[in-house]
């Protein structure tokens, strides 16, 4: 008596990935090609790193502390029967006698307004423009890595110099744009430009940035 085994059908193949998106079986954290170079990975904007701004905060705190100490010390002297300090008398007289349109009053007001505006800008902007946030390896809210723009420029320049025909490369990395200029010593100019664009695009994918800046490639013939 023979037994017939039912035919085992092949599992359903993985669905085709949408253009510009990694396949479903791609490992987490591994960079994949992205046709839209200016779009944030994972379909959402990645926040930039915020600077702690220790130096401005320390300077502002020291100035406020020194002003309060001098003022409270003089008020305490007056309360104990001593006369007010000469600097406080002179300051009170100047504020009471000088008109509003006096150049010194206008200059002081402009300096105070500029300092206040500078502090507001520091408080509302993240800073750390030299850092490029990298894509997270998972969906957790853990610490995020970042890459220095100078380091990214060096890696891209090394990738550009590995292209046959490129004798010199100048890479400038900004937050939203990467400008690559290369000098071609030999080979066809259009061919070298195409291979250079492909090499820089592959290196950008290897960097795994959270938001890939737009890449602009220019190549010209080297003239000795």
């Amino acid at each position: 008596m023979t037994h017939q085994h039912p035919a085992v059908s092949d599992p359903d193949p993985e669905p085709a990935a949408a253009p510009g998106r990694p396949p479903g079986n791609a490992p987490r954290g591994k960079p994949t090609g992205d046709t839209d170079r200016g779009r944030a990975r994972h379909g959402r904007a990645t926040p930039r790193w915020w600077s702690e701004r220790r130096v401005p905060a320390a300077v502002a705190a020291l100035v406020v502390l020194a002003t309060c100490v001098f003022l409270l010390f003089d008020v305490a002297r007056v309360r104990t029967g001593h006369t007010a300090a000469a600097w406080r008398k002179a300051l009170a007289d100047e504020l009471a006698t000088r008109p509003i349109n006096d150049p010194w009053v206008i200059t002081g007001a402009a300096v105070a307004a500029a300092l206040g505006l500078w502090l507001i800008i520091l408080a509302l902007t993240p800073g750390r423009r030299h850092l490029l946030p990298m894509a997270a390896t998972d969906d957790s809210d853990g610490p995020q890595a970042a890459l220095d723009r100078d380091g990214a420029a060096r890696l891209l320049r090394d990738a550009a110099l590995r292209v046959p025909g490129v004798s010199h490369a100048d890479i400038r990395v900004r937050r939203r744009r990467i400008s690559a200029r290369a000098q071609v010593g030999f080979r066809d100019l259009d061919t070298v430009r195409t291979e250079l664009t492909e090499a820089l695009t592959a290196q950008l994918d290897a960097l795994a940035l959270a938001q890939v800046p737009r890449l602009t490639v220019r190549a010209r013939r080297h003239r000795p």
Side-chain angles (χ1 to χ4, degrees):
M1 182 176 182
T2 59
H3 297 277
Q4 294 182 353
H5 297 280
V8 179
S9 60
D10 294 334
D12 294 337
E14 290 291 336
R21 294 185 179 273
N25 58 355
R28 291 182 180 271
K30 183 177 180 180
T32 54
D34 191 354
T35 56
D36 190 354
R37 310 304 305 168
R39 182 182 57 196
R41 295 178 186 267
H42 308 303
R44 53 186 175 88
T46 302
R48 289 168 52 192
W49 281 26
W50 279 77
S51 174
E52 296 180 357
R53 306 257 169 69
R54 296 179 179 178
V55 175
V59 171
L62 288 176
V63 170
V64 173
L65 178 62
T67 304
C68 292
V69 167
F70 278 109
L71 185 59
L72 290 176
F73 177 75
D74 191 65
V75 170
R77 290 182 72 255
V78 173
R79 292 296 184 181
T80 56
H82 298 80
T83 58
W87 64 268
R88 195 154 70 97
K89 291 182 179 180
L91 181 61
D93 293 339
E94 292 294 334
L95 293 177
T97 57
R98 285 187 180 270
I100 299 298
N101 57 353
D102 186 83
W104 285 103
V105 176
I106 297 176
T107 302
V111 171
L115 291 176
L117 180 61
W118 178 59
L119 292 176
I120 292 175
I121 293 175
L122 289 180
L124 298 180
T125 55
R128 293 195 174 186
R129 300 176 62 87
H130 64 285
L131 292 180
L132 298 174
M134 300 180 66
T137 56
D138 49 27
D139 297 334
S140 63
D141 297 331
Q144 183 185 12
L147 180 63
D148 186 82
R149 290 196 302 182
D150 293 336
R154 286 192 292 268
L155 293 174
L156 292 173
R157 183 168 59 250
D158 293 341
L161 293 176
R162 287 194 294 267
V163 176
V166 177
S167 60
H168 177 76
D170 182 18
I171 309 294
R172 295 184 179 182
V173 179
R174 298 179 176 85
R175 287 197 306 113
R176 293 186 175 90
R177 183 176 297 275
I178 296 177
S179 177
R181 297 182 180 181
Q183 295 182 1
V184 180
F186 59 95
R187 299 182 68 199
D188 179 67
L189 191 61
D190 293 335
T191 302
V192 174
R193 184 186 296 110
T194 301
E195 294 182 1
L196 179 60
T197 303
E198 294 176 353
L200 294 179
T201 301
Q203 183 63 50
L204 278 176
D205 286 337
L207 295 180
L209 299 178
Q211 184 173 2
V212 182
R214 295 185 180 276
L215 177 63
T216 302
V217 178
R218 295 183 178 87
R220 63 178 181 178
R221 186 67 62 184
H222 174 68
R223 296 180 180 178

